[in-house]
Amino acid sequence: MPQPTDTDELRFADLIRPGDVVAWGQACGEPLRLTRQLMAQRHQIGGFGAFIGISLGDSADPEHADCVRFRSFCGTGRNGRLAAAGKLDILPLHYSQLASVLMRQVDVLMLQVTRHPNGGYSLGACCDYVAALIPAARLVIAEVNRQVPVTDARIDARQIDVMVEADYAPAAMTMQPPSRANRRIAAHVASLIDDGATLQFGLGATPDCVAALLLDRRHLGLHSGVLSDAGMALMASGAIDNSRKPIDAGLSVAGTLLGTPELLAFADSNTAIAMRPISHTHDTATIARLPAFTAINSALEVDLSGQANTESAGGRYLGTIGGAVDFSRGAQASEGGKAILALTATAQRRDGTLFSRIVPRLSGPATVGRGDIGIVVTENGIADLRGQTLDERRRRLTAIADPAFRDDLTGAEQ
């Protein structure tokens, strides 16, 4: 097959068939030149599907849904625009299941890679589910970007069907300043983390606040779906050295880099970082072997029985099932492990009124069932629900709700 040297030379209508499903690396690993060119040529291809992960770029836009059927596991990042327009179909799966399902559905895979100094190519910022799709896809198109960080996730040149050159700064996140509530939540979460724990960070402002409070810890480990700026800060300080992990000793393990340009620079040729596929990062048996595995994730609401909704609010899909249950179950199987869900006690409606996020009944799906719940944290305190009865759960969750809503929660029907 001819090998174009520039993205502009690609004619996607010669590569992608009507009805195909195209997938690409997510977040900082999205091949932006390829995805933008694909969207620009969508009418020449005809109708096709696109599976997208977390989107930081502008390729997955509602106006492109005239030809493209967008599907994702999440409403995170700029996917929210698609969800709000009713143009995003959600694949509701535990993250541990995602790669095995996509292997049967994806026809064309587009990757952002860079040349590895030891030969072949590095997958850069994404390994997660794309690693499993490389041998499964009919066609693999790679954008070789000189500015992508070199990581240990590799792809052989023989696995690439079409290759183009690129030279631009990869997509990155802008860090949002934490709120006072984020800081108070972080203080409670940090109090639960001891020296030697293995950490998993979800997304949002709270993990960065937590990390800032853990700089005095020693011999922490990292095993996570994403490596963010929070993990970078702890690695740089020496708090994370992964020395007590019985597997992947000395290595911070993640499937995706998701953060600022500083994170991407930190990860470049960093031998202390191991990029691994979902089959490793989200495997319950693997997680269970890690000492004091501490999962720190978020929720949109938690009901008084201990069920948590991490997916939708106000009729809109905002979050994801993701790895919340995978990591919760792994943490509970780990000796000394803790599964923490953090959320602010209240949120604000568009009209400015506040509502409680500790609720009698969920308004959306029960992502984390009450049998998988561990510890719930708000700015008002910690509710350890492990081994507690329904009545005791109600009492503990009401105690960490906003004071203005506690009477309503106490009087709510069981």
Side-chain angles (χ1 to χ4, degrees), residues 240-275:
I240 286 179
D241 63 12
N242 298 288
S243 61
R244 295 189 181 176
K245 290 162 62 175
I247 54 174
D248 300 319
L251 297 173
S252 289
V253 172
T256 304
L257 303 178
L258 181 54
T260 62
E262 289 74 20
L263 171 68
L264 299 182
F266 177 79
D268 187 31
S269 300
N270 191 329
T271 57
I273 295 172
M275 300 294 287

Side-chain angles (χ1 to χ4, degrees), residues 19-23 51 71 91-94 96-109 129-130 132-138:
D20 272 354
V21 174
V22 185
F51 181 87
R71 183 187 312 168
L91 192 60
L93 293 172
H94 298 301
S96 57
Q97 302 170 319
L98 185 60
S100 60
V101 170
L102 292 180
M103 287 172 65
R104 302 190 296 269
Q105 298 181 353
V106 170
D107 301 291
V108 179
L109 177 65
Y129 55 83
V130 299
L133 300 184
I134 292 169
R138 185 189 77 243

